Amino acid sequence: GNAKRSTPTTSASTRAQSRDMQQRAGGGTKRVVRPFWLRPLDMVLVFFFLINFTFITYIVDIEQLTVDDPAQVQTNGYPIWPPKWGVDLVHWYGNKYDPPLMAREAWWRMTIWLDAVYFGPFYLFAMYAFIKGREWIKPFALVWAGIMIANVTIILGEELMGKHKTPEPGFVLSVNLPWFMLPFVVIARMSYKHPFVEKVRAKLQKAGALKGKKSE
């Protein structure tokens, strides 16, 4: 009779010990930001953001807002920004490879406004966030990726099938490929709940657990 009455108590004690062991094992883990140099894919993305912020957005693209008619730049003079070499580079590329850039119709210039007003500041904050591992960048990164994919798709449609078709479709496709593919990479990275962190086990608790095993 006594053995039967003690069985529930023993069983409850065993369950309590099991729960205690699980809590101690789980309590030794925490999330920490993985060092930037150990995130090679993020390093590629930060380099891409840097190129966009320092060269593409505010030199190459903004030229299409500060110069209304490329054919008149010699007559009307160069804008204050971008610098003369930047304007000449854009016009050389446009004349040789990119007729839509030189035509710069209203819809084209609206994509440039998105670039200047939203993408530019995003690149600056994204570089900081990806390096430091700040998760607040996630919604902004997803918005950027969606708009960029839409923009590049529309632009390539004009380049390949529009009235201002490029004479060098293969080259233009290859040049635009990073701006089409890397947004998908950003979406994949931001799909994780905690994209910049890893779980580690506290050294002291791990050492305590090992010591407990030895004493047993």
Side-chain angles (χ1 to χ4, degrees), residues 19-155:
R19 284 196 301 269
D20 182 60
M21 291 176 64
Q22 290 176 359
Q23 289 173 358
R24 282 187 297 172
T29 61
K30 62 179 180 178
R31 292 188 180 92
V32 297
V33 175
R34 188 173 177 83
F36 179 61
W37 59 87
L38 296 179
R39 292 182 272 126
L41 188 56
D42 287 353
M43 295 177 71
V44 172
L45 292 174
V46 167
F47 179 72
F48 177 71
F49 297 151
L50 178 65
I51 294 298
N52 276 276
F53 182 78
T54 59
F55 180 63
I56 299 298
T57 297
Y58 293 122
I59 292 181
V60 173
D61 288 350
I62 207 168
E63 182 274 338
Q64 293 141 69
L65 300 179
T66 58
V67 176
D68 289 328
D69 185 357
Q72 299 297 319
V73 73
Q74 297 294 337
T75 304
N76 299 333
Y78 285 82
I80 296 175
W81 189 263
K84 182 179 182 297
W85 66 264
V87 175
D88 291 341
L89 177 64
V90 171
H91 292 181
W92 169 82
Y93 173 82
N95 285 320
K96 190 173 181 62
Y97 300 108
D98 204 334
L101 183 153
M102 301 304 284
R104 52 194 65 180
E105 295 179 346
W107 69 267
W108 177 280
R109 299 183 82 179
M110 288 308 298
T111 68
I112 304 301
W113 276 111
L114 285 170
D115 195 359
V117 174
Y118 180 73
F119 291 174
F122 165 76
Y123 294 134
L124 188 62
F125 286 106
M127 285 187 284
Y128 171 83
F130 273 70
I131 291 172
K132 294 294 186 178
R134 301 295 188 258
E135 293 182 358
W136 49 256
I137 200 63
K138 286 178 63 175
F140 304 102
L142 291 171
V143 171
W144 168 83
I147 298 174
M148 180 62 79
I149 292 169
N151 277 359
V152 175
T153 301
I154 294 167
I155 288 170

